[in-house]
Amino acid sequence: MALYARVEKTEEDERRVRYAYTDVAGATRILLLDKDAGTTSTDDGVEDMLYRAVAGKVAAAWAHSGVAPDRLMVQS
């Protein structure tokens, strides 16, 4: 199964970063990065394969640099 998402930072404060990501069908979903814990969550509670791919990419970028990237692409 191929995965594709465009990920864009929509909000950031001292503790959290909010990302919107759009799947190939055009549906927009939200991912939250907790900076203190280094964890991610979704606002709709759906943790499917696309969410896990986006969460992994965001978490890896955060762990590597300590900076929340403005934009990412997920493709597989």
Side-chain angles (χ1 to χ4, degrees):
M1 172 184 218
L3 297 175
Y4 171 82
R6 293 182 355 230
V7 185
E8 189 167 332
K9 182 177 8 175
T10 60
E11 291 180 40
E12 182 174 12
D13 62 27
E14 308 80 43
R15 296 178 21 209
R16 261 179 255 152
V17 184
R18 181 181 173 101
Y19 286 95
Y21 63 99
T22 305
D23 65 17
V24 72
T28 299
R29 297 185 50 206
I30 302 299
L31 177 134
L32 303 168
L33 168 67
D34 181 316
K35 293 179 178 180
D36 296 332
T39 59
T40 61
S41 61
T42 178
D43 70 339
D44 63 8
V46 177
E47 295 188 4
D48 58 9
M49 288 179 62
L50 183 57
Y51 164 79
R52 289 191 293 277
V54 170
K57 191 131 185 187
V58 168
W62 173 254
H64 176 72
S65 67
V67 175
D70 291 333
R71 289 182 182 84
L72 293 168
M73 293 290 289
V74 173
Q75 293 178 280
S76 69

Coordinates of all heavy atoms in Angstrom, one line a residue:
M1 N 0.8 -1.2 0.0 CA 0.0 0.0 0.0 C 0.9 1.2 0.0 O 1.8 1.4 0.8 CB -0.9 0.0 1.2 CG -1.7 1.3 1.4 SD -2.6 1.2 2.9 CE -4.1 2.0 2.4
A2 N 0.7 2.1 -0.9 CA 1.4 3.4 -1.0 C 0.8 4.4 -0.1 O -0.4 4.5 0.1 CB 1.4 3.9 -2.4
L3 N 1.7 5.2 0.5 CA 1.3 6.3 1.4 C 1.8 7.6 0.9 O 2.9 7.7 0.4 CB 1.8 6.1 2.8 CG 1.4 4.8 3.6 CD1 2.1 4.7 4.9 CD2 -0.1 4.9 3.8
Y4 N 1.0 8.6 1.0 CA 1.4 10.0 0.6 C 0.7 11.0 1.5 O -0.5 10.9 1.7 CB 1.0 10.2 -0.9 CG 1.3 11.6 -1.3 CD1 2.5 12.1 -1.7 CD2 0.2 12.5 -1.3 CE1 2.7 13.4 -2.0 CE2 0.4 13.8 -1.7 CZ 1.6 14.3 -2.0 OH 1.8 15.6 -2.4
A5 N 1.5 12.0 2.0 CA 0.8 13.0 2.7 C 1.7 14.3 2.7 O 3.0 14.2 2.7 CB 0.6 12.7 4.2
R6 N 1.1 15.4 2.6 CA 1.8 16.7 2.7 C 1.5 17.2 4.1 O 0.3 17.2 4.6 CB 1.2 17.7 1.7 CG 1.6 17.4 0.3 CD 1.1 18.4 -0.7 NE 0.3 19.5 -0.1 CZ -0.9 19.9 -0.6 NH1 -1.4 19.3 -1.7 NH2 -1.5 20.9 -0.1
V7 N 2.5 17.5 4.9 CA 2.4 17.9 6.3 C 2.9 19.3 6.4 O 4.0 19.7 6.0 CB 3.3 17.0 7.1 CG1 3.1 17.2 8.6 CG2 3.0 15.5 6.8
E8 N 2.1 20.1 7.1 CA 2.4 21.5 7.3 C 2.1 22.0 8.7 O 1.0 21.7 9.3 CB 1.6 22.4 6.3 CG 2.0 23.8 6.3 CD 1.4 24.6 5.1 OE1 1.2 24.0 4.1 OE2 1.3 25.8 5.3
K9 N 3.1 22.7 9.3 CA 2.9 23.2 10.7 C 1.9 24.3 10.6 O 1.9 25.2 9.8 CB 4.2 23.8 11.2 CG 4.1 24.3 12.6 CD 5.4 24.8 13.3 CE 6.6 24.9 12.5 NZ 7.7 25.5 13.2
T10 N 0.9 24.3 11.5 CA -0.2 25.3 11.5 C -0.1 26.2 12.8 O -0.5 27.3 12.8 CB -1.6 24.7 11.4 OG1 -1.8 23.8 12.5 CG2 -1.8 24.0 10.1
E11 N 0.4 25.7 13.9 CA 0.6 26.4 15.1 C 1.7 25.9 15.9 O 2.0 24.7 15.8 CB -0.7 26.2 16.0 CG -1.9 26.9 15.5 CD -3.1 26.6 16.5 OE1 -2.9 26.7 17.7 OE2 -4.2 26.4 16.0
E12 N 2.4 26.7 16.7 CA 3.4 26.3 17.6 C 3.5 27.2 18.8 O 3.4 28.4 18.7 CB 4.8 26.3 16.9 CG 5.9 25.8 17.7 CD 7.2 25.6 16.9 OE1 7.3 26.1 15.8 OE2 8.2 25.0 17.5
D13 N 3.7 26.6 20.0 CA 3.9 27.4 21.2 C 5.1 26.7 21.9 O 5.8 25.8 21.4 CB 2.7 27.6 22.1 CG 2.1 26.3 22.6 OD1 2.8 25.3 22.8 OD2 0.9 26.3 22.8
E14 N 5.3 27.1 23.2 CA 6.5 26.5 23.9 C 6.4 25.0 24.1 O 7.4 24.3 24.3 CB 6.6 27.2 25.3 CG 6.7 28.7 25.3 CD 5.3 29.3 25.2 OE1 4.3 28.8 25.8 OE2 5.1 30.2 24.4
R15 N 5.1 24.5 24.2 CA 4.9 23.1 24.6 C 4.4 22.2 23.5 O 4.7 21.0 23.5 CB 3.9 23.0 25.7 CG 4.4 23.7 27.0 CD 3.4 23.7 28.1 NE 2.4 22.7 28.0 CZ 1.2 22.8 28.5 NH1 0.9 23.8 29.1 NH2 0.3 21.8 28.3
R16 N 3.8 22.8 22.5 CA 3.1 21.9 21.5 C 3.3 22.5 20.1 O 3.4 23.7 19.9 CB 1.6 21.9 21.7 CG 1.2 20.6 22.4 CD -0.2 20.6 22.7 NE -0.3 20.9 24.1 CZ -1.3 21.5 24.7 NH1 -2.4 21.9 24.0 NH2 -1.3 21.7 26.0
V17 N 3.2 21.6 19.1 CA 3.2 22.0 17.7 C 2.0 21.2 17.1 O 1.7 20.1 17.3 CB 4.4 21.5 16.9 CG1 4.4 22.0 15.5 CG2 5.7 22.0 17.6
R18 N 1.2 22.0 16.3 CA 0.0 21.4 15.6 C 0.4 21.3 14.1 O 0.8 22.3 13.5 CB -1.2 22.3 15.8 CG -2.4 21.8 15.2 CD -3.5 22.9 15.5 NE -4.8 22.6 14.8 CZ -5.8 22.0 15.4 NH1 -5.8 21.6 16.6 NH2 -6.9 21.7 14.6
Y19 N 0.1 20.2 13.5 CA 0.4 19.9 12.1 C -0.9 19.5 11.4 O -1.7 18.8 12.0 CB 1.4 18.8 11.9 CG 2.8 19.2 12.2 CD1 3.4 18.9 13.4 CD2 3.6 19.8 11.2 CE1 4.7 19.3 13.7 CE2 4.9 20.1 11.5 CZ 5.4 19.9 12.7 OH 6.7 20.2 12.9
A20 N -1.2 20.0 10.2 CA -2.2 19.5 9.4 C -1.6 18.7 8.3 O -0.5 19.1 7.7 CB -3.0 20.7 8.8
Y21 N -2.2 17.6 8.0 CA -1.7 16.8 6.9 C -2.8 16.3 6.0 O -3.9 16.1 6.5 CB -0.8 15.6 7.3 CG -1.5 14.5 8.2 CD1 -1.9 13.3 7.6 CD2 -1.6 14.7 9.5 CE1 -2.5 12.3 8.4 CE2 -2.2 13.7 10.3 CZ -2.6 12.5 9.7 OH -3.2 11.6 10.5
T22 N -2.6 16.3 4.7 CA -3.6 16.0 3.7 C -3.2 14.7 3.0 O -2.1 14.5 2.6 CB -3.7 17.1 2.7 OG1 -3.9 18.3 3.4 CG2 -4.8 16.9 1.8
D23 N -4.2 13.8 3.0 CA -3.9 12.5 2.3 C -4.2 12.7 0.8 O -4.6 13.7 0.3 CB -4.7 11.4 2.9 CG -6.2 11.5 2.8 OD1 -6.7 12.3 1.9 OD2 -6.9 10.8 3.5
V24 N -4.0 11.6 0.1 CA -4.1 11.6 -1.4 C -5.6 12.0 -1.8 O -5.8 12.5 -2.9 CB -3.6 10.3 -2.0 CG1 -4.6 9.2 -1.7 CG2 -3.4 10.5 -3.5
A25 N -6.6 11.7 -1.0 CA -8.0 12.0 -1.3 C -8.3 13.4 -1.0 O -9.4 13.9 -1.3 CB -8.9 11.0 -0.6
G26 N -7.4 14.1 -0.3 CA -7.7 15.5 0.0 C -8.2 15.8 1.4 O -8.5 16.9 1.8
A27 N -8.4 14.7 2.2 CA -8.9 14.9 3.5 C -7.8 15.4 4.4 O -6.6 15.0 4.3 CB -9.4 13.5 4.1
T28 N -8.1 16.4 5.3 CA -7.2 17.0 6.2 C -7.3 16.4 7.6 O -8.5 16.3 8.1 CB -7.3 18.5 6.2 OG1 -7.1 19.0 4.9 CG2 -6.3 19.2 7.1
R29 N -6.2 16.1 8.2 CA -6.2 15.6 9.6 C -5.2 16.3 10.4 O -4.3 17.0 9.8 CB -5.9 14.1 9.6 CG -7.0 13.3 8.8 CD -6.9 11.8 8.8 NE -6.7 11.3 10.1 CZ -6.1 10.1 10.3 NH1 -5.6 9.4 9.3 NH2 -5.9 9.6 11.5
I30 N -5.3 16.2 11.7 CA -4.4 17.0 12.6 C -3.6 16.1 13.4 O -4.0 15.1 14.0 CB -5.3 17.9 13.5 CG1 -6.2 18.8 12.7 CG2 -4.4 18.7 14.5 CD1 -5.4 19.8 11.8
L31 N -2.3 16.4 13.5 CA -1.3 15.7 14.4 C -0.8 16.7 15.4 O -0.5 17.9 15.0 CB -0.2 15.1 13.6 CG 0.9 14.4 14.4 CD1 1.2 13.1 13.7 CD2 2.1 15.3 14.5
L32 N -0.6 16.3 16.6 CA -0.1 17.2 17.7 C 1.2 16.6 18.2 O 1.3 15.4 18.5 CB -1.1 17.3 18.8 CG -2.4 17.9 18.5 CD1 -3.4 17.7 19.7 CD2 -2.4 19.3 18.1
L33 N 2.3 17.4 18.3 CA 3.6 17.0 18.8 C 3.7 17.7 20.2 O 3.6 18.9 20.3 CB 4.7 17.5 17.9 CG 6.1 17.4 18.5 CD1 6.5 16.0 18.7 CD2 7.1 18.1 17.5
D34 N 3.9 16.9 21.2 CA 4.2 17.4 22.6 C 5.7 17.5 22.7 O 6.4 16.5 22.7 CB 3.6 16.4 23.6 CG 3.8 16.9 25.0 OD1 5.0 17.3 25.4 OD2 2.9 16.8 25.8
K35 N 6.2 18.7 22.7 CA 7.6 18.9 22.7 C 8.3 18.4 24.0 O 9.4 17.9 23.9 CB 7.9 20.4 22.6 CG 7.6 21.0 21.3 CD 7.9 22.5 21.4 CE 7.7 23.3 20.1 NZ 8.0 24.7 20.2
D36 N 7.7 18.5 25.2 CA 8.2 18.1 26.4 C 8.4 16.6 26.5 O 9.4 16.1 26.8 CB 7.4 18.6 27.6 CG 7.4 20.1 27.7 OD1 8.3 20.7 27.3 OD2 6.4 20.6 28.3
A37 N 7.4 15.9 26.0 CA 7.4 14.4 26.1 C 8.0 13.8 24.8 O 8.4 12.6 24.8 CB 6.0 13.9 26.3
G38 N 8.0 14.6 23.7 CA 8.5 14.0 22.5 C 7.5 13.0 21.9 O 7.9 12.1 21.1
T39 N 6.2 13.2 22.2 CA 5.2 12.3 21.7 C 4.3 12.9 20.7 O 4.2 14.2 20.7 CB 4.4 11.7 22.8 OG1 3.8 12.7 23.6 CG2 5.3 10.9 23.8
T40 N 3.6 12.2 19.9 CA 2.6 12.7 19.0 C 1.2 12.1 19.3 O 1.1 11.0 20.0 CB 2.9 12.3 17.5 OG1 2.9 10.9 17.4 CG2 4.2 12.9 17.1
S41 N 0.2 12.8 18.9 CA -1.2 12.3 19.0 C -2.0 12.9 17.9 O -1.6 13.8 17.2 CB -1.8 12.7 20.4 OG -1.8 14.1 20.5
T42 N -3.2 12.3 17.7 CA -4.1 12.8 16.7 C -5.4 13.3 17.3 O -5.8 12.8 18.4 CB -4.4 11.7 15.7 OG1 -5.3 12.2 14.7 CG2 -5.0 10.5 16.3
D43 N -5.9 14.3 16.8 CA -7.1 14.9 17.4 C -8.4 14.1 17.1 O -9.4 14.2 17.8 CB -7.3 16.4 17.0 CG -7.7 16.5 15.5 OD1 -7.5 15.6 14.7 OD2 -8.3 17.6 15.2
D44 N -8.4 13.2 16.1 CA -9.6 12.5 15.8 C -9.5 11.0 16.4 O -10.5 10.3 16.2 CB -9.9 12.4 14.3 CG -8.8 11.8 13.5 OD1 -7.8 11.1 14.1 OD2 -8.9 11.8 12.3
G45 N -8.4 10.7 17.0 CA -8.3 9.3 17.6 C -8.0 8.2 16.7 O -7.8 7.1 17.1
V46 N -7.9 8.5 15.4 CA -7.6 7.5 14.4 C -6.1 7.3 14.2 O -5.5 8.3 13.7 CB -8.3 7.8 13.0 CG1 -8.0 6.7 12.0 CG2 -9.8 7.9 13.2
E47 N -5.6 6.2 14.5 CA -4.1 6.0 14.4 C -3.9 4.9 13.3 O -3.5 3.8 13.6 CB -3.5 5.6 15.7 CG -3.6 6.7 16.7 CD -2.9 6.4 18.0 OE1 -2.2 5.4 18.2 OE2 -3.0 7.3 18.9
D48 N -4.2 5.3 12.1 CA -4.0 4.3 11.0 C -2.6 4.4 10.5 O -1.7 5.1 11.0 CB -5.0 4.7 9.9 CG -4.9 6.1 9.4 OD1 -4.0 6.8 9.7 OD2 -5.8 6.5 8.6
M49 N -2.3 3.7 9.3 CA -1.0 3.6 8.8 C -0.5 5.0 8.4 O 0.7 5.3 8.6 CB -0.9 2.7 7.6 CG -1.0 1.2 8.0 SD -1.0 0.1 6.6 CE 0.6 0.4 5.9
L50 N -1.3 5.8 7.8 CA -0.9 7.2 7.4 C -0.5 8.0 8.6 O 0.5 8.7 8.6 CB -1.9 7.9 6.5 CG -1.5 9.2 6.0 CD1 -0.2 9.1 5.1 CD2 -2.6 9.8 5.2
Y51 N -1.3 8.0 9.6 CA -1.0 8.7 10.8 C 0.4 8.3 11.4 O 1.2 9.1 11.7 CB -2.1 8.5 11.9 CG -1.6 8.9 13.3 CD1 -1.5 10.3 13.7 CD2 -1.1 8.0 14.2 CE1 -1.0 10.6 14.9 CE2 -0.6 8.3 15.4 CZ -0.5 9.7 15.8 OH 0.0 10.0 17.0
R52 N 0.6 6.9 11.5 CA 1.8 6.4 12.0 C 3.0 6.9 11.2 O 4.1 7.2 11.7 CB 1.8 4.9 12.2 CG 0.8 4.5 13.3 CD 0.9 3.0 13.6 NE 0.5 2.1 12.6 CZ -0.8 1.8 12.4 NH1 -1.7 2.3 13.2 NH2 -1.1 1.0 11.5
A53 N 2.9 6.9 9.9 CA 4.0 7.4 9.0 C 4.3 8.9 9.2 O 5.4 9.3 9.3 CB 3.6 7.1 7.5
V54 N 3.2 9.7 9.3 CA 3.4 11.1 9.5 C 4.0 11.3 10.9 O 4.9 12.1 11.1 CB 2.1 11.9 9.4 CG1 2.2 13.3 9.9 CG2 1.6 11.8 7.9
A55 N 3.5 10.7 11.9 CA 3.9 10.8 13.3 C 5.4 10.4 13.4 O 6.2 11.1 14.1 CB 3.1 9.9 14.2
G56 N 5.8 9.3 12.7 CA 7.2 8.9 12.8 C 8.1 9.9 12.1 O 9.2 10.2 12.7
K57 N 7.7 10.5 11.0 CA 8.5 11.5 10.4 C 8.7 12.7 11.2 O 9.8 13.3 11.3 CB 8.0 11.8 9.0 CG 8.9 12.6 8.1 CD 9.0 11.9 6.8 CE 10.1 12.7 6.0 NZ 10.1 12.2 4.6
V58 N 7.6 13.2 11.8 CA 7.6 14.4 12.6 C 8.5 14.2 13.8 O 9.3 15.0 14.2 CB 6.2 14.9 13.0 CG1 6.2 15.9 14.1 CG2 5.4 15.4 11.8
A59 N 8.2 13.0 14.5 CA 9.0 12.7 15.7 C 10.5 12.5 15.4 O 11.3 13.0 16.2 CB 8.4 11.4 16.4
A60 N 10.8 11.9 14.3 CA 12.2 11.8 14.0 C 12.9 13.1 13.7 O 14.0 13.4 14.2 CB 12.4 10.9 12.7
A61 N 12.2 14.0 13.0 CA 12.8 15.3 12.8 C 13.0 16.1 14.1 O 14.0 16.7 14.3 CB 11.9 16.1 11.8
W62 N 12.0 16.0 15.0 CA 12.1 16.7 16.3 C 13.2 16.1 17.1 O 14.0 16.8 17.7 CB 10.8 16.6 17.0 CG 10.8 17.1 18.4 CD1 10.9 16.3 19.5 CD2 10.9 18.4 18.8 NE1 10.9 17.2 20.6 CE2 11.0 18.5 20.2 CE3 10.9 19.6 18.1 CZ2 11.0 19.7 20.9 CZ3 11.0 20.8 18.8 CH2 11.0 20.8 20.2
A63 N 13.3 14.8 17.1 CA 14.4 14.1 17.9 C 15.8 14.4 17.4 O 16.7 14.6 18.2 CB 14.2 12.6 18.0
H64 N 15.9 14.6 16.1 CA 17.2 14.8 15.4 C 17.7 16.2 15.7 O 18.8 16.5 16.0 CB 17.1 14.5 13.9 CG 18.4 14.8 13.2 ND1 19.5 14.1 13.3 CD2 18.7 15.8 12.3 CE1 20.4 14.6 12.6 NE2 20.0 15.6 12.0
S65 N 16.8 17.2 15.5 CA 17.2 18.6 15.6 C 16.7 19.4 16.7 O 17.2 20.5 17.0 CB 16.8 19.3 14.3 OG 15.4 19.4 14.2
G66 N 15.6 19.0 17.4 CA 15.0 19.8 18.4 C 14.2 21.0 17.8 O 13.8 21.9 18.6
V67 N 14.0 20.9 16.5 CA 13.2 22.0 15.8 C 12.1 21.3 15.1 O 12.2 20.3 14.5 CB 14.1 22.7 14.8 CG1 13.3 23.7 13.9 CG2 15.3 23.4 15.4
A68 N 10.9 22.0 15.3 CA 9.7 21.4 14.6 C 9.7 21.9 13.1 O 9.6 23.1 12.9 CB 8.4 21.9 15.3
P69 N 9.8 21.0 12.2 CA 9.9 21.5 10.8 C 8.6 22.1 10.3 O 7.5 21.8 10.8 CB 10.2 20.2 10.0 CG 9.7 19.1 10.9 CD 9.9 19.6 12.3
D70 N 8.7 23.1 9.4 CA 7.6 23.8 8.9 C 6.8 22.9 7.9 O 5.5 23.0 8.0 CB 8.0 25.1 8.1 CG 8.5 26.1 9.1 OD1 8.2 26.1 10.2 OD2 9.3 26.9 8.6
R71 N 7.4 22.1 7.1 CA 6.8 21.3 6.1 C 7.5 20.0 6.0 O 8.7 19.9 6.1 CB 6.7 21.9 4.8 CG 5.8 23.1 4.7 CD 5.8 23.7 3.3 NE 4.9 24.9 3.2 CZ 5.3 26.1 3.6 NH1 6.5 26.3 4.0 NH2 4.4 27.1 3.5
L72 N 6.8 18.9 5.7 CA 7.4 17.6 5.4 C 6.5 16.9 4.4 O 5.3 17.2 4.2 CB 7.3 16.7 6.7 CG 8.2 17.1 7.9 CD1 7.8 16.3 9.1 CD2 9.6 16.9 7.5
M73 N 7.1 15.9 3.8 CA 6.4 15.0 2.8 C 6.6 13.6 3.3 O 7.6 13.2 3.8 CB 6.9 15.1 1.4 CG 6.7 16.5 0.8 SD 5.0 16.8 0.3 CE 4.8 15.6 -1.0
V74 N 5.5 12.8 3.2 CA 5.6 11.4 3.5 C 5.2 10.7 2.3 O 4.1 10.9 1.7 CB 4.6 11.0 4.7 CG1 4.6 9.5 4.9 CG2 5.0 11.7 6.0
Q75 N 6.1 9.8 1.8 CA 5.9 9.0 0.6 C 6.5 7.6 0.8 O 7.5 7.5 1.4 CB 6.5 9.6 -0.6 CG 5.9 10.9 -1.0 CD 6.7 11.5 -2.2 OE1 7.7 12.1 -2.1 NE2 6.1 11.3 -3.4
S76 N 5.8 6.7 0.4 CA 6.3 5.3 0.4 C 5.7 4.5 -0.7 O 4.7 4.8 -1.3 CB 6.0 4.6 1.7 OG 4.7 4.3 1.9

